[in-house]
Structure formats: C-alpha cells, structure tokens
Amino acid sequence: MKSRRQMVPIFREILIPILAVCTALILGAVLIEISGVNFLEAYRGLFEGMIGSRRALIETCVAATPYLLTGLAVAIGFQGGLFNIGAEGQFYMGALASVIVGYAVQGLPAWLHLPLALVVGAISGGVWGSIPGLLKAKLGAHEVINTIMMNYIALKLVDYLVKNVFRDPAASMDRTPYILPTAQLPRIFGPDYRLHAGFLLALAAVVFTHWLLFKTTLGFEIRTVGANPGAARYAGMNVGGNIVLAMAMAGAMAGLAGVGEVLGLNHTLPAAFSAGYGFDAIAVALLAKSNPIGIIPSAFLWGGLRNGAGLMQVRTGISIDLISIIQALVIMFIAANQIVRWIYRIN
C-alpha cells in the first residue's frame, strides 16, 4: 500500500485536470452572463442533456465511445514519446476497411463476419498509423508533419473511393452500400437505444492498453523509449521497432473507433464523412494525462459536452459554439497548468 507521502503527487495529478475543467466552466458562465442568459439555466440544460435521463446518459455513452478509442490512440503515442495527430486519418481508414468487409464479404455467419470486419478495420488503421512511425524510425522524419499530411491523404482518398469505387448505385447520395446484418454490432439495450457493443469493446481496449503499458515488458520498453530514447538504446532496446509498434497500436485504436461508427451506428460510410474525433482526441488524451484509465472520465466528459450542448441551445438559445469555447479553455488550462496552480495556490 502506498504511503501518504506517495499519494500526495498522485492526488495533485488528478486534481489539476478537475480544477482546469471547473475553471473553464466558471469562465464559460461569465461568457453566458455577458450574453444576457442565466448561466444556471444554461448549465442545467447542459447537465440534463448529458446525464439528466436514462436516454441522455445512454446517448452520452454513445458519444463517448469514439473518444475512448481515439483518446487511447493519442495517449499511446504520448507514452512512446510521439505526437500522433493522425488519429483522424486512421479513424477514416478503419471505417473504410470495415464497411467494405461489411457489405462485400457475403455468406459468412455473424460469429465470423463481425470479428472479421473488426479485425480488418483495426489492421487498416494500424497499417496507416505505422507509416509515419516507420518514417520516423528509419529516416528521422517528424511524426507531427507526417501524420498531419496523412490525415489529408486519408480524407481525400476515402472521399474519392466512396464517390467513385464503392458508391452504392441505388443510393441518392454518395455513400457505400449498407453492411450486412451479420456484420452489425449488436445494440446493448435493444433497438430503441443506439448504444452498441462497440462501447464495451472500447472499455476493454482501455483495460488492455493499461495492462500492456504498465504491466508488461513491451509496455515498459515503449515508455522507456518515449522517456529517453538514448537510455533505451544504451540498454539494448530496439528504439525504432518500438516507435513503429507504438504508432501501429495507436492507429489500430483509432481504426477501431471508425469501425464502431460504421458497424454500430451508421451501417454505411457516406462521402464527406467529417467526424473530427481524431482532433478532439488530442484534448481527451491531454486531459487524461495520457493515462489509459484517465481516458474514461475524459472521454465521458467530452461525449457529454457534445451530447448536452444541443439541449442547452434549445433551452436558452445560446450558440452551441460555446461548448467549443469551454473545451478550448480546458485544453488551455491543461497545457498551461501553471495558471491553475497559481489560481488555486498549488505547488
């Protein structure tokens, strides 16, 4: 059992993100009052939209599911000393691969078809994520530049393929055919609620990632390479291999997020499918301090804000963009945590 002296730094690490969120909400309340709306009424709408009813809570879990997996994608990169901004592109590649398997592979039973679509989607995202890792390991190319560029390639490539190669000729809009029922993720609470088994899969991925990073030799090597590549190389670790592996794992997580959206919710992939989860995932991972377990409350908060913003807007007429401002303030206070420490006099 850890002593009280050992617990104090851990408590502070948890306290800073909480205070950052509280401070962002306080500043958001000031902005609401300036706009002439009672902030208590606005936040009541936001709260009820997040968790005010059974349906709201379930919808928040639906919204949090892709954040869980894309947040892991960014957090794994951080643990390996890499800034994975490419989760958006990896998300797209996973979604594309799974939807192709979902509608094109026919005649398989559900117990085989669904896992096949999941695995192919995860591999697609993992391969896409490993490319900037390989460029970093072999050529020293910075992963930030490469992942940003690969986001654009993925977005345009998927858009082109959906419109020209995999387009459903019977559809009135640009989208792929619907996946077969054998490839659909089951709904947890029945057809009346949208929460699907991808949510449970995301929670399992969080537990698996935590175990892998903090309980295995492989995870120790990834974290050591991230903390000090020189020391890791001196200790005989394969620095380049761990970089590629970390990026591949990150890509697989983001790819699974795209898989969940296709197999669990939409059952098709439309063109101009702009999700934005990959970019929000950076904030989710920062708020969680790159800790896989911390991703759970962080993703739930982000999903809740996204889900509750609509009811807040209906109740008070406030623009939904206010939520984006609050999210930006949270990121700012996390990135510049000295501001929070100064405000609340924390050493």
Side-chain angles (χ1 to χ4, degrees):
M1 179 179 290
K2 293 181 179 178
S3 65
R4 182 177 179 181
R5 179 174 294 180
Q6 291 174 313
M7 290 298 294
V8 169
I10 298 174
F11 176 73
R12 285 177 181 166
E13 287 300 310
I14 297 173
L15 185 61
I16 295 296
I18 294 173
L19 291 176
V21 172
C22 292
T23 308
L25 289 173
I26 291 170
L27 289 178
V30 173
L31 292 176
I32 293 171
E33 286 293 328
I34 291 174
S35 63
V37 177
N38 187 311
F39 79 92
L40 289 176
E41 185 180 354
Y43 279 167
R44 188 182 299 116
L46 179 65
F47 179 80
E48 291 180 5
M50 291 172 68
I51 55 173
S53 65
R54 174 185 169 90
R55 183 171 292 278
L57 180 59
I58 289 176
E59 283 298 317
T60 293
C61 292
V62 172
T65 300
Y67 287 129
L68 285 167
L69 290 163
T70 52
L72 283 177
V74 179
I76 291 171
F78 282 148
Q79 293 286 352
L82 303 161
F83 200 164
N84 177 26
I85 305 183
E88 186 76 5
Q90 296 146 18
F91 177 96
Y92 272 70
M93 298 310 291
L96 177 66
S98 65
V99 80
I100 293 172
V101 174
Y103 79 80
V105 179
Q106 303 184 5
L108 296 179
W111 63 267
L112 182 59
H113 196 188
L114 177 56
L116 180 65
L118 288 168
V119 170
V120 171
I123 291 176
S124 178
V127 170
W128 197 257
S130 68
I131 294 173
L134 192 62
L135 294 172
K136 169 89 172 181
K138 296 296 183 183
L139 304 175
H142 205 290
E143 77 278 3
V144 171
I145 302 299
N146 287 323
T147 50
I148 290 175
M149 293 299 104
M150 291 195 70
N151 279 340
Y152 287 112
I153 295 172
L155 266 61
K156 297 302 179 184
L157 179 64
V158 170
D159 191 58
Y160 170 79
L161 291 175
V162 170
K163 287 180 178 177
N164 297 280
V165 181
F166 303 117
R167 187 183 187 279
D168 184 355
S172 58
M173 59 179 289
D174 292 329
R175 63 164 176 81
T176 66
Y178 284 102
I179 63 172
L180 300 176
T182 51
Q184 294 178 7
L185 284 164
R187 300 286 172 94
I188 296 176
F189 297 112
D192 293 337
Y193 295 94
R194 299 195 310 149
L195 188 62
H196 54 83
F199 177 69
L200 302 178
L201 185 67
L203 292 177
V206 169
V207 175
F208 171 77
T209 303
H210 184 269
W211 170 80
L212 183 73
L213 287 176
F214 296 102
K215 302 295 182 182
T216 68
T217 304
L218 178 61
F220 175 76
E221 289 192 7
I222 291 175
R223 289 187 292 118
T224 304
V225 169
N228 193 328
R233 188 176 291 107
Y234 185 76
M237 297 178 186
N238 184 349
V239 174
N242 279 293
I243 288 174
V244 176
L245 181 60
M247 286 300 295
M249 288 172 52
M253 292 298 173
L256 270 178
V259 171
E261 293 299 288
V262 168
L263 303 186
L265 286 180
N266 303 323
H267 301 155
T268 183
L269 183 62
F273 179 63
S274 180
Y277 291 116
F279 300 112
D280 288 348
I282 299 171
V284 171
L286 285 173
L287 185 61
K289 295 282 186 180
S290 303
N291 185 304
I293 300 301
I295 293 290
I296 295 176
S298 180
F300 190 81
L301 173 66
W302 238 247
L305 289 175
R306 187 166 182 155
N307 190 44
L311 185 59
M312 184 183 74
Q313 186 178 35
V314 170
R315 290 274 182 86
T316 62
I318 293 177
S319 169
I320 203 169
D321 292 336
L322 177 70
I323 294 301
S324 299
I325 295 174
I326 293 175
Q327 290 175 330
L329 288 171
V330 171
I331 297 169
M332 185 186 75
F333 287 127
I334 291 294
N337 60 24
Q338 290 300 323
I339 299 175
V340 176
R341 293 178 185 275
W342 178 77
I343 292 174
Y344 297 100
R345 298 295 188 269
I346 299 174
N347 296 324

